[in-house]
Amino acid sequence: LLQKTVFMLAIAVLITLSSCQQPKEEKRPNILFIMSDDHAYQAISAYNDKLIETPQIDRIANEGILFTNASVTNSICAPSRATILTGKHTHIHGKIDNNFPFDTTNVTFPQILKQNGYQTAMFGKLHFGNNPKGFDEFMILPDQGDYYNPDFITPKGDTTIMGYVTDVITDLTLDWLDTEREKEKPFLLMYLHKAPHREWIPAERHYKAFTQKIFPEPETLFDDYKGRGTAAKTAEMNLRKHMTVSADNKIYPEVAKELKIVEPSEWGFKVFKSKYGRFTEEQKAQWDAVYGPINETFKKDYPGMTNEDYMRWKYQRYMQDYLACIAAVDENVGRVLDYLDQNGLSENTIVVYTSDQGFYLGEHGWFDKRFIYDESFKTPLVVRWPAKIKPGSVSDEMVQNLDYAQTFLEAAGIKAPQDMQGESFMPLLTEQADQWHRDVAYYHYYEYPGFHAVKRHYGIVTKEYKLVHFYYDVDEWELYDRLNDSLELNSVYHDPAYQDVVDSLTLKLYETRKYYKDSGELDEAYIQKYRDRGLIK
Ligand code: SGN
Ligand code: CA
């Protein structure tokens, strides 16, 4: 008996020792990456509640961390998405604009997670011109997708689902969680909204309330661009001049024609007809019931409107529909958060809410994005991970969409490939800000000539300054003092008082371009690609 007891004791000691030497492996987190399309941080109440309340997105911020200085490396859809997936700048992964397909020989973080035992799925907008790699399951919108009764591309073929796109993408996401999720594996779920992308068509349940609201105007609605360079003056994204009264502002083409309004082109009428044409008879009736009376009022008011009145009217129409789209996004985000709670998944799931870039909500008289100026350079970012992040945290560090790949890989305990160019922001999630190093964010925009005519430019942004070089058909520099001119109304590049800043930042820009392997030769090579495509001579 004694022998047996000693033997059992020895076994017990051995087991205890070995479990001490190898601490219990931490369970790898799930990742729920929620991204909407063109959602401005100005339209999230966790950032600012003057336009809309977004209680569900705010929940992520309140129970996690809010980043006040998150940005993108190139403020346009597909390039941003390619940067998110590869952890590389656009000049490296090659998806510099929305035009040509993504090069699928690039290695993406979902592929790496999948190889390491994650279950992976993607639902919603990708906009790559080809299918995503590294996903066990996907259902994506073709190109920009449609708001009503959207088509989807799936590995098994194409399909159309009746309903409102934001609800439909959420249904697909919840259905996957409920019926496809393999409970023994961690998951990466990319839940990607089309909303609130142009032409801002809300869900029927939000038509009425939002079309009756009046929203505060931004103080730069009537910006004359005096303190800026040529690019701001020639961009084609002015609400009055470039927003279409039909497709964008929902005036029937026949009403616009009767009033002799000349659209930016016949294209506005064409887009209206194709979008309206997708509605079922019932959806048309619901639309007409609310937008019909708006058309009637507009018919009466338009002849007496000054340019200024028309600008103001356009701003209100724009905000009413744009923000109504966000109301549906917010509600649906709430459905998914509730699912996580109800299924015991919240604690160890990293939930990210962000947008593929920022957006102008009438600031500087604009809509759209593309510029390095704040509203489009910055993007919303809130992250929740109860197992690690202290609730109610706020960070003003300059994280970028470049950083997700390395952040998620680190969270999953996987070493990131050497050639990824971002920096894991895990230290910022875990109160170790001293382990975070970026003091300069690099930016490069290419899609010119193109939609909205925003000139090619690159630049660097620090917490204090922004230095920008516009090139190709101009050679202009701008410098903004971010602390003293937060609206970015006056470039001080030529102000002698800033000469030292210009000198040191020019050097910093040169070093940053070198560090990220960008260069004048590469700029020239990408211009040549535009020539090869026949987009320029
Ligand atoms: C469409 C829009 C543009 C928008 C681009 C890119 N026009 O072409 O206003 O800038 O998409 O947007 S539309 O009348 O067809 O809606 S992105 O988010 O995909 O980059
Ligand atoms: Ca976008």
Tab-separated table of all heavy atoms in Angstrom, residues 85-116:
chain	number	residue	atom	x	y	z
A	85	LEU	N	-5.918	43.665	-46.073
A	85	LEU	CA	-5.684	42.213	-46.177
A	85	LEU	C	-4.203	41.843	-46.246
A	85	LEU	O	-3.801	40.793	-45.764
A	85	LEU	CB	-6.423	41.644	-47.395
A	85	LEU	CG	-7.961	41.669	-47.297
A	85	LEU	CD1	-8.592	41.187	-48.589
A	85	LEU	CD2	-8.450	40.799	-46.134
A	86	THR	N	-3.390	42.716	-46.869
A	86	THR	CA	-1.977	42.354	-47.067
A	86	THR	C	-1.029	42.952	-46.031
A	86	THR	O	0.113	42.499	-45.914
A	86	THR	CB	-1.469	42.847	-48.444
A	86	THR	OG1	-1.586	44.281	-48.480
A	86	THR	CG2	-2.257	42.237	-49.591
A	87	GLY	N	-1.460	44.027	-45.349
A	87	GLY	CA	-0.539	44.721	-44.445
A	87	GLY	C	0.556	45.453	-45.206
A	87	GLY	O	1.665	45.634	-44.709
A	88	LYS	N	0.230	45.872	-46.436
A	88	LYS	CA	1.226	46.592	-47.247
A	88	LYS	C	0.622	47.856	-47.851
A	88	LYS	O	-0.590	47.912	-48.105
A	88	LYS	CB	1.702	45.695	-48.390
A	88	LYS	CG	2.524	44.539	-47.893
A	88	LYS	CD	2.911	43.602	-49.015
A	88	LYS	CE	3.656	42.426	-48.410
A	88	LYS	NZ	3.789	41.311	-49.320
A	89	HIS	N	1.494	48.832	-48.130
A	89	HIS	CA	1.057	50.041	-48.820
A	89	HIS	C	0.615	49.700	-50.246
A	89	HIS	O	1.043	48.687	-50.814
A	89	HIS	CB	2.203	51.053	-48.876
A	89	HIS	CG	2.258	51.920	-47.659
A	89	HIS	ND1	1.443	53.012	-47.494
A	89	HIS	CD2	3.021	51.841	-46.538
A	89	HIS	CE1	1.703	53.594	-46.330
A	89	HIS	NE2	2.653	52.895	-45.724
A	90	THR	N	-0.187	50.585	-50.821
A	90	THR	CA	-0.757	50.264	-52.137
A	90	THR	C	0.308	50.169	-53.224
A	90	THR	O	0.168	49.390	-54.158
A	90	THR	CB	-1.882	51.247	-52.533
A	90	THR	OG1	-1.398	52.575	-52.541
A	90	THR	CG2	-3.041	51.170	-51.585
A	91	HIS	N	1.396	50.958	-53.100
A	91	HIS	CA	2.423	50.867	-54.149
A	91	HIS	C	3.145	49.523	-54.106
A	91	HIS	O	3.777	49.128	-55.084
A	91	HIS	CB	3.438	52.017	-54.034
A	91	HIS	CG	4.191	52.033	-52.743
A	91	HIS	ND1	3.701	52.629	-51.603
A	91	HIS	CD2	5.389	51.511	-52.393
A	91	HIS	CE1	4.573	52.479	-50.619
A	91	HIS	NE2	5.602	51.798	-51.077
A	92	ILE	N	3.029	48.788	-52.980
A	92	ILE	CA	3.672	47.468	-52.881
A	92	ILE	C	2.719	46.351	-53.332
A	92	ILE	O	3.099	45.497	-54.138
A	92	ILE	CB	4.169	47.188	-51.434
A	92	ILE	CG1	5.192	48.246	-51.001
A	92	ILE	CG2	4.742	45.778	-51.316
A	92	ILE	CD1	6.520	48.207	-51.728
A	93	HIS	N	1.465	46.353	-52.842
A	93	HIS	CA	0.573	45.258	-53.287
A	93	HIS	C	0.019	45.518	-54.687
A	93	HIS	O	-0.533	44.625	-55.314
A	93	HIS	CB	-0.542	44.960	-52.275
A	93	HIS	CG	-1.460	46.112	-51.962
A	93	HIS	ND1	-2.254	46.728	-52.902
A	93	HIS	CD2	-1.722	46.752	-50.790
A	93	HIS	CE1	-2.961	47.676	-52.314
A	93	HIS	NE2	-2.648	47.729	-51.038
A	94	GLY	N	0.155	46.751	-55.168
A	94	GLY	CA	-0.179	47.036	-56.570
A	94	GLY	C	-1.603	47.490	-56.824
A	94	GLY	O	-1.927	47.941	-57.917
A	95	LYS	N	-2.500	47.399	-55.828
A	95	LYS	CA	-3.887	47.833	-56.054
A	95	LYS	C	-3.967	49.317	-55.718
A	95	LYS	O	-4.449	49.722	-54.659
A	95	LYS	CB	-4.844	47.016	-55.155
A	95	LYS	CG	-6.308	47.302	-55.421
A	95	LYS	CD	-6.862	46.396	-56.485
A	95	LYS	CE	-8.305	46.703	-56.856
A	95	LYS	NZ	-8.469	47.591	-58.014
A	96	ILE	N	-3.467	50.128	-56.654
A	96	ILE	CA	-3.357	51.556	-56.371
A	96	ILE	C	-4.680	52.304	-56.568
A	96	ILE	O	-4.833	53.424	-56.105
A	96	ILE	CB	-2.273	52.233	-57.251
A	96	ILE	CG1	-2.584	52.001	-58.732
A	96	ILE	CG2	-0.880	51.765	-56.864
A	96	ILE	CD1	-1.972	53.017	-59.661
A	97	ASP	N	-5.623	51.696	-57.307
A	97	ASP	CA	-6.888	52.389	-57.568
A	97	ASP	C	-8.016	51.357	-57.681
A	97	ASP	O	-7.786	50.162	-57.519
A	97	ASP	CB	-6.786	53.263	-58.827
A	97	ASP	CG	-6.494	52.445	-60.077
A	97	ASP	OD1	-6.805	51.233	-60.090
A	97	ASP	OD2	-5.953	53.003	-61.039
A	98	ASN	N	-9.229	51.881	-57.993
A	98	ASN	CA	-10.385	50.971	-58.072
A	98	ASN	C	-10.488	50.263	-59.415
A	98	ASN	O	-11.372	49.436	-59.598
A	98	ASN	CB	-11.680	51.774	-57.864
A	98	ASN	CG	-12.017	51.936	-56.396
A	98	ASN	OD1	-11.478	51.231	-55.549
A	98	ASN	ND2	-12.906	52.871	-56.090
A	99	ASN	N	-9.611	50.616	-60.365
A	99	ASN	CA	-9.851	50.175	-61.736
A	99	ASN	C	-9.567	48.714	-62.069
A	99	ASN	O	-10.409	48.033	-62.619
A	99	ASN	CB	-9.080	51.059	-62.706
A	99	ASN	CG	-9.608	52.478	-62.671
A	99	ASN	OD1	-10.808	52.688	-62.476
A	99	ASN	ND2	-8.732	53.460	-62.809
A	100	PHE	N	-8.373	48.259	-61.770
A	100	PHE	CA	-8.008	46.918	-62.230
A	100	PHE	C	-8.052	45.900	-61.096
A	100	PHE	O	-8.007	46.270	-59.928
A	100	PHE	CB	-6.630	46.960	-62.907
A	100	PHE	CG	-6.745	47.360	-64.353
A	100	PHE	CD1	-7.299	48.575	-64.712
A	100	PHE	CD2	-6.336	46.493	-65.358
A	100	PHE	CE1	-7.446	48.939	-66.041
A	100	PHE	CE2	-6.471	46.849	-66.689
A	100	PHE	CZ	-7.028	48.080	-67.031
A	101	PRO	N	-8.171	44.589	-61.412
A	101	PRO	CA	-8.328	43.592	-60.337
A	101	PRO	C	-7.135	43.522	-59.388
A	101	PRO	O	-6.006	43.864	-59.755
A	101	PRO	CB	-8.469	42.261	-61.088
A	101	PRO	CG	-8.685	42.594	-62.503
A	101	PRO	CD	-8.191	43.980	-62.744
A	102	PHE	N	-7.402	43.058	-58.199
A	102	PHE	CA	-6.384	42.817	-57.174
A	102	PHE	C	-5.491	41.656	-57.626
A	102	PHE	O	-5.973	40.675	-58.188
A	102	PHE	CB	-7.110	42.464	-55.873
A	102	PHE	CG	-6.226	42.041	-54.734
A	102	PHE	CD1	-5.334	42.943	-54.159
A	102	PHE	CD2	-6.291	40.749	-54.213
A	102	PHE	CE1	-4.530	42.569	-53.089
A	102	PHE	CE2	-5.489	40.359	-53.141
A	102	PHE	CZ	-4.609	41.267	-52.590
A	103	ASP	N	-4.187	41.787	-57.385
A	103	ASP	CA	-3.238	40.724	-57.725
A	103	ASP	C	-3.293	39.645	-56.631
A	103	ASP	O	-2.787	39.846	-55.526
A	103	ASP	CB	-1.832	41.335	-57.828
A	103	ASP	CG	-0.756	40.289	-58.003
A	103	ASP	OD1	-1.071	39.084	-58.037
A	103	ASP	OD2	0.424	40.701	-58.097
A	104	THR	N	-3.904	38.506	-56.972
A	104	THR	CA	-4.161	37.491	-55.942
A	104	THR	C	-2.921	36.647	-55.600
A	104	THR	O	-3.022	35.718	-54.805
A	104	THR	CB	-5.313	36.547	-56.359
A	104	THR	OG1	-4.975	35.977	-57.627
A	104	THR	CG2	-6.624	37.269	-56.440
A	105	THR	N	-1.764	37.006	-56.182
A	105	THR	CA	-0.550	36.322	-55.708
A	105	THR	C	-0.049	36.965	-54.401
A	105	THR	O	0.834	36.426	-53.740
A	105	THR	CB	0.590	36.357	-56.755
A	105	THR	OG1	0.936	37.717	-57.004
A	105	THR	CG2	0.174	35.678	-58.052
A	106	ASN	N	-0.629	38.114	-54.028
A	106	ASN	CA	-0.313	38.713	-52.725
A	106	ASN	C	-0.735	37.756	-51.603
A	106	ASN	O	-1.784	37.111	-51.690
A	106	ASN	CB	-1.121	40.002	-52.528
A	106	ASN	CG	-0.481	41.208	-53.202
A	106	ASN	OD1	0.610	41.619	-52.811
A	106	ASN	ND2	-1.167	41.778	-54.176
A	107	VAL	N	0.058	37.707	-50.545
A	107	VAL	CA	-0.315	36.895	-49.375
A	107	VAL	C	-1.159	37.768	-48.445
A	107	VAL	O	-0.800	38.908	-48.168
A	107	VAL	CB	0.945	36.417	-48.631
A	107	VAL	CG1	0.578	35.721	-47.311
A	107	VAL	CG2	1.742	35.471	-49.526
A	108	THR	N	-2.284	37.223	-47.979
A	108	THR	CA	-3.165	38.009	-47.100
A	108	THR	C	-3.250	37.371	-45.709
A	108	THR	O	-3.043	36.165	-45.562
A	108	THR	CB	-4.592	38.086	-47.687
A	108	THR	OG1	-5.145	36.767	-47.691
A	108	THR	CG2	-4.590	38.660	-49.090
A	109	PHE	N	-3.616	38.188	-44.721
A	109	PHE	CA	-3.667	37.630	-43.357
A	109	PHE	C	-4.755	36.560	-43.195
A	109	PHE	O	-4.550	35.604	-42.437
A	109	PHE	CB	-3.757	38.754	-42.296
A	109	PHE	CG	-5.127	39.271	-42.031
A	109	PHE	CD1	-5.983	38.612	-41.155
A	109	PHE	CD2	-5.582	40.422	-42.653
A	109	PHE	CE1	-7.263	39.082	-40.915
A	109	PHE	CE2	-6.856	40.898	-42.420
A	109	PHE	CZ	-7.700	40.218	-41.550
A	110	PRO	N	-5.913	36.653	-43.897
A	110	PRO	CA	-6.876	35.549	-43.747
A	110	PRO	C	-6.301	34.203	-44.220
A	110	PRO	O	-6.572	33.165	-43.612
A	110	PRO	CB	-8.052	35.981	-44.628
A	110	PRO	CG	-7.963	37.469	-44.653
A	110	PRO	CD	-6.493	37.763	-44.680
A	111	GLN	N	-5.487	34.237	-45.284
A	111	GLN	CA	-4.863	32.983	-45.737
A	111	GLN	C	-3.990	32.399	-44.624
A	111	GLN	O	-3.994	31.198	-44.382
A	111	GLN	CB	-3.990	33.243	-46.980
A	111	GLN	CG	-4.800	33.482	-48.242
A	111	GLN	CD	-3.911	33.981	-49.375
A	111	GLN	OE1	-3.240	35.001	-49.269
A	111	GLN	NE2	-3.905	33.249	-50.472
A	112	ILE	N	-3.246	33.287	-43.963
A	112	ILE	CA	-2.336	32.810	-42.909
A	112	ILE	C	-3.141	32.286	-41.716
A	112	ILE	O	-2.814	31.247	-41.139
A	112	ILE	CB	-1.376	33.946	-42.477
A	112	ILE	CG1	-0.566	34.418	-43.687
A	112	ILE	CG2	-0.458	33.490	-41.351
A	112	ILE	CD1	0.312	35.631	-43.425
A	113	LEU	N	-4.214	32.987	-41.358
A	113	LEU	CA	-5.036	32.515	-40.237
A	113	LEU	C	-5.635	31.145	-40.563
A	113	LEU	O	-5.661	30.245	-39.720
A	113	LEU	CB	-6.154	33.521	-39.935
A	113	LEU	CG	-5.751	34.819	-39.229
A	113	LEU	CD1	-6.977	35.697	-39.004
A	113	LEU	CD2	-5.065	34.553	-37.886
A	114	LYS	N	-6.102	31.018	-41.802
A	114	LYS	CA	-6.712	29.731	-42.203
A	114	LYS	C	-5.698	28.592	-42.109
A	114	LYS	O	-5.995	27.527	-41.556
A	114	LYS	CB	-7.273	29.863	-43.616
A	114	LYS	CG	-8.044	28.644	-44.090
A	114	LYS	CD	-8.815	28.966	-45.360
A	114	LYS	CE	-8.964	27.792	-46.296
A	114	LYS	NZ	-9.691	26.663	-45.721
A	115	GLN	N	-4.482	28.869	-42.619
A	115	GLN	CA	-3.434	27.831	-42.543
A	115	GLN	C	-3.131	27.448	-41.098
A	115	GLN	O	-2.647	26.362	-40.815
A	115	GLN	CB	-2.128	28.349	-43.157
A	115	GLN	CG	-2.094	28.324	-44.667
A	115	GLN	CD	-1.080	29.340	-45.204
A	115	GLN	OE1	-0.284	29.920	-44.453
A	115	GLN	NE2	-1.119	29.571	-46.514
A	116	ASN	N	-3.403	28.381	-40.193
A	116	ASN	CA	-3.107	28.128	-38.785
A	116	ASN	C	-4.338	27.719	-37.980
A	116	ASN	O	-4.383	27.910	-36.772
A	116	ASN	CB	-2.460	29.368	-38.163
A	116	ASN	CG	-0.999	29.476	-38.571
A	116	ASN	OD1	-0.132	28.912	-37.926
A	116	ASN	ND2	-0.735	30.171	-39.669
